[in-house]
Amino acid sequence: MNDIYYMNEAINEAKKAGEKGEVPIGAVIVLNGEVIARAHNLRETTQQATAHAEVLAIEQACDKTGYWRLDGASLYVTLEPCPMCAGAIIMSRVERVIYGATDPKAGCAGTFMNLLCDERFNHQAEVLSGICEEQCSQLLKDFFKELRLKKKANKPNN
């Protein structure tokens, strides 16, 4: 199996989020060639600020393995991790992070800043970006375009 296959699994999760009215971001965690966790954003559904795809997938993977350390695991996510998610990745010792679209406003895997490779932490993750970037980016563009159209349609006429 390769990075594109697993990123497509994350894209499928992102689509589930979009269908629920959530920002379409999905993540899967792979260990020893097996998907051990899959999640998508649920912030709006749960009204929990921490319900990002990466955090939910990390929690699920820890439950599955029975251990908080995810040594040897790879996390595939459709959007570059934010500061909170990057922190969770570092703390859970995920080995590799593979993401699709960059996030110039909050990306902490090399775009806005790079927490995942900062040698001041006791753990760093290998980062690979741009896998299925166009598909991941288009999901987000379409979602926000539709959101703007809905807001415009619901605006009272002046």
Side-chain angles (χ1 to χ4, degrees), residues 36-137:
I36 61 167
R38 56 181 70 240
H40 52 270
N41 272 15
L42 288 173
R43 226 172 26 168
E44 298 300 326
T45 302
T46 63
Q47 290 299 300
Q48 295 294 319
T50 58
H52 286 203
E54 300 96 319
V55 171
L56 297 172
I58 287 169
E59 289 173 354
Q60 200 180 106
C62 290
D63 285 346
K64 172 114 181 178
T65 63
Y67 196 47
W68 65 269
R69 288 178 180 260
L70 297 174
D71 296 318
S74 296
L75 184 146
Y76 293 81
V77 62
T78 56
L79 182 66
E80 181 178 4
C82 72
M84 175 183 68
C85 294
I89 290 163
I90 291 166
M91 291 299 161
S92 63
R93 309 298 197 268
V94 168
E95 186 175 316
R96 293 177 69 226
V97 174
I98 302 89
Y99 70 87
T102 58
D103 185 353
K105 294 181 180 177
C108 287
T111 301
F112 182 72
M113 65 175 54
N114 196 347
L115 293 178
L116 295 179
C117 296
D118 192 320
E119 292 182 2
R120 294 174 291 179
F121 292 114
N122 64 344
H123 175 76
Q124 294 82 42
E126 176 188 335
V127 176
L128 179 61
S129 64
I131 301 298
C132 301
E133 182 175 12
E134 185 55 40
Q135 284 176 274
C136 295
S137 182

Side-chain angles (χ1 to χ4, degrees), residues 5-15 25-28 38-39 76-78:
Y5 173 83
Y6 293 121
M7 185 59 74
N8 279 314
E9 292 294 305
I11 289 168
N12 289 337
E13 286 297 315
K15 289 176 182 176
I25 300 169
V28 298
R38 56 181 70 240
Y76 293 81
V77 62
T78 56

